[in-house]
């Protein structure tokens, strides 16, 4: 099956040559302007299907609030702000995303979630959060982001760096399926096309391995099957304490 998978993946890769060329000459930047509009629509559907999972995950957020203070959350790759409704009232929120075209939708979501205190929106990648001080954040949140960063390990190092001792990194990510499944097979076959559709998304990443090796003192990680399109079903969720 591996040989067939590799062959079909190569065929899809060849069919993607026009996309490769458009990326090489800079035309793919046009899609980056359209991508937030697409995500704004798709994320609403995702939130409905994953509402209970997100609610259960973020229920633990108040545990990381400092005594007598407010909870400070930094979200990496905040996108359109679909997680905001799950954050505890009074939390201070710092939003980052490498795509500046998300800001319009982010502003709309902020207006609908006035239970939060919005500190700022910064155009920044997860690999480079140099503007944020060491040991300064209670909680770092990352959902459906580690699939598309250039360097997963560096992103996790940055999250670990900015978290205060005892702070937590919360994550919810789609990942590669079990190697014995058709999900895994088609994830690899469709990866060349999916990369462009998902603005740099890798559906074949074994992200849990990076989280396990990131040097956190305590890790609560679960593998789940999300109620989504079959190649998007495998997910991990949980949190890691610094």
């Amino acid at each position: 099956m591996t040989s067939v998978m590799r062959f079909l993946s190569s065929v899809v890769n060849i069919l993607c040559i026009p996309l490769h060329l458009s990326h090489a000459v800079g035309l793919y930047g046009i899609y980056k302007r359209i991508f937030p509009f697409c995500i704004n629509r798709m994320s609403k559907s995702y939130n409905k299907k994953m509402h209970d999972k997100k609610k259960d995950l973020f229920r633990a957020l108040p545990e990381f609030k400092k005594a007598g203070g407010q909870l400070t959350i930094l979200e990496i790759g905040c996108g359109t702000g679909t997680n905001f409704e799950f954050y505890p009232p009074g939390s201070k929120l710092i939003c980052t995303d490498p795509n500046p075209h998300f800001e319009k939708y982010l502003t709309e979501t902020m207006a609908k979630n006035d239970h939060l205190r919005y500190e700022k929106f910064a155009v920044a990648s997860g690999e480079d959060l140099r503007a944020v001080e060491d040991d300064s954040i209670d909680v770092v949140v990352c959902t459906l982001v580690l699939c598309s960063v250039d360097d997963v390990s560096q992103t996790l190092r940055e999250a670990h760096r900015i978290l205060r001792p005892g702070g937590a990194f919360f994550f919810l990510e789609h990942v590669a399926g079990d190697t014995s499944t058709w999900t895994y097979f088609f994830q690899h076959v469709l990866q060349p096309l999916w990369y462009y559709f998902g603005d740099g998304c890798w559906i074949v990443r074994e992200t849990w391995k990076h989280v396990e090796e990131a040097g956190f003192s305590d890790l609560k990680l679960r593998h789940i099957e999300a109620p989504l399109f079959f190649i998007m079903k495998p997910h991990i969720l949980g949190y890691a304490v610094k």
Side-chain angles (χ1 to χ4, degrees):
M1 189 168 87
T2 301
S3 298
V4 175
M5 180 180 73
R6 290 175 178 170
F7 171 75
L8 292 176
S9 180
S10 297
V11 171
V12 174
N13 200 29
I14 292 171
L15 293 174
C16 287
I17 286 177
L19 294 173
H20 298 328
L21 292 174
S22 68
H23 187 276
V25 300
L27 293 178
Y28 186 68
I30 297 173
Y31 181 61
K32 286 187 175 293
R33 291 179 172 272
I34 302 172
F35 187 64
F37 170 79
C38 300
I39 287 297
N40 187 50
R41 297 178 67 87
M42 290 187 291
S43 61
K44 292 176 182 177
S45 174
Y46 181 89
N47 250 20
K48 287 181 180 178
K49 294 177 180 179
M50 297 293 288
H51 181 274
D52 291 345
K53 300 294 185 185
K54 282 192 173 187
K55 187 176 180 180
D56 288 343
L57 172 64
F58 292 127
R59 184 176 287 126
L61 282 174
E63 297 176 17
F64 299 97
K65 178 182 177 182
K66 290 176 291 187
Q70 65 180 165
L71 184 69
T72 300
I73 301 171
L74 183 143
E75 184 166 347
I76 299 174
C78 59
T80 60
T82 54
N83 292 326
F84 294 176
E85 64 178 279
F86 301 99
Y87 295 160
S91 299
K92 181 171 73 172
L93 181 60
I94 301 169
C95 305
T96 70
D97 200 286
N99 190 335
H101 305 296
F102 272 114
E103 189 167 11
K104 170 189 172 183
Y105 301 99
L106 188 62
T107 301
E108 294 174 357
T109 306
M110 287 178 177
K112 297 175 182 177
N113 291 275
D114 58 3
H115 64 288
L116 303 173
R117 175 189 164 194
Y118 299 98
E119 184 77 5
K120 64 179 177 179
F121 169 69
V123 178
S125 68
E127 296 94 336
D128 184 6
L129 299 172
R130 68 182 73 180
V132 185
E133 296 181 0
D134 295 1
D135 306 326
S136 61
I137 304 295
D138 297 319
V139 170
V140 173
V141 173
C142 195
T143 63
L144 304 183
V145 170
L146 295 179
C147 59
S148 58
V149 297
D150 292 330
D151 190 331
V152 179
S153 295
Q154 174 59 21
T155 300
L156 292 171
R157 281 193 292 270
E158 280 289 82
H160 190 278
R161 177 185 65 80
I162 65 177
L163 280 169
R164 64 169 176 80
F169 173 71
F170 280 70
F171 55 89
L172 171 64
E173 299 286 338
H174 67 82
V175 294
D178 185 275
T179 56
S180 64
T181 64
W182 283 109
T183 295
Y184 180 88
F185 178 89
F186 281 106
Q187 282 177 330
H188 282 75
V189 169
L190 296 174
Q191 177 57 61
L193 177 61
W194 194 270
Y195 177 85
Y196 292 104
F197 170 75
D199 193 19
C201 175
W202 291 87
I203 49 175
V204 297
R205 276 189 175 163
E206 298 176 335
T207 305
W208 66 91
K209 295 181 179 180
H210 294 277
V211 178
E212 290 170 348
E213 297 170 358
F216 289 96
S217 65
D218 185 31
L219 174 62
K220 300 186 185 301
L221 183 153
R222 289 194 296 130
H223 287 258
I224 64 169
E225 289 288 303
L228 304 168
F229 183 56
F230 79 103
I231 61 173
M232 289 283 289
K233 281 183 177 294
H235 272 56
I236 58 170
L237 59 79
Y239 61 88
V241 181
K242 180 174 177 178

